[in-house]
Amino acid sequence: MKTECFIVGGGPSLSSFDWSLLNNKITIAINNAYQVLPQASICYFTDNDWFSTHQTSLLQHPGIKVKGSLPTQLLNHPKVKEYTLTQVSGLASNGSLAHGYNSAHAALNLAYTLGFKTIYLLGIDMGYSNGVSLWHDTSNHRVDNELVYRQK
């Protein structure tokens, strides 16, 4: 029975994290986190541009690939399971996901949908630390302005 999972984001709090602590754990790797989690159960993303950049290496990862898609931004890739992003807040329970304007919100909704009772969030910092918002290389990824974390 699935009881717990770990959702791993890209926040700077993970810049010196010991990734081996997640070995043999059920994990949802958001975006670039798949690169440091070779045993990730699920690799989650929402952006088509991000997928274009990471497609080759992502598709070689053994984890299940899951994309949250707005109805107008479907990927329709045979190796990627898609959930429609249908609402902004809360948790959707009708086979779709709420997006909350960020991948972490949708990944949390995914874990809920999959039936996990205990969900740990790692690297979901929702802010900047020492001028950076991500622990990984950001040259091929959209980085939100610091002001996005101050929205209500």
Side-chain angles (χ1 to χ4, degrees):
M1 180 176 176
K2 300 178 267 188
T3 59
E4 67 179 24
C5 80
F6 295 79
I7 297 175
V8 181
S13 64
L14 294 179
S15 61
S16 59
F17 185 74
D18 179 1
W19 300 105
S20 68
L21 294 172
L22 296 175
N23 289 350
N24 302 311
K25 306 285 187 193
I26 297 173
T27 53
I28 299 174
I30 299 173
N31 296 327
N32 290 34
Y34 82 95
Q35 296 171 326
V36 293
L37 294 169
Q39 296 180 10
S41 311
I42 296 171
C43 303
Y44 179 85
F45 65 99
T46 57
D47 298 323
N48 288 345
D49 290 342
W50 181 91
F51 179 74
S52 295
T53 301
H54 292 267
Q55 180 174 353
T56 301
S57 58
L58 178 67
L59 292 177
Q60 292 174 359
H61 191 285
I64 298 167
K65 287 63 162 182
V66 176
K67 181 184 187 303
S69 297
L70 293 171
T72 59
Q73 297 176 349
L74 294 173
L75 186 63
N76 295 315
H77 191 284
K79 295 185 178 180
V80 177
K81 173 150 178 63
E82 288 189 80
Y83 285 82
T84 303
L85 300 172
T86 58
Q87 64 192 65
V88 174
S89 61
L91 295 173
S93 59
N94 56 359
S96 63
L97 301 176
H99 59 81
Y101 297 113
N102 66 75
S103 295
H105 188 116
L108 177 61
N109 197 158
L110 176 64
Y112 169 79
T113 297
L114 294 175
F116 291 103
K117 302 300 180 203
T118 303
I119 302 167
Y120 297 97
L121 303 178
L122 306 173
I124 312 298
D125 298 359
M126 303 304 291
Y128 276 64
S129 176
N130 297 323
V132 296
S133 65
L134 300 168
W135 57 262
H136 53 76
D137 175 28
T138 60
S139 60
N140 291 315
H141 186 73
R142 184 188 86 223
V143 178
D144 291 322
N145 183 293
E146 192 169 359
L147 294 176
V148 75
Y149 300 113
R150 296 186 190 147
Q151 293 179 1
K152 293 183 179 186

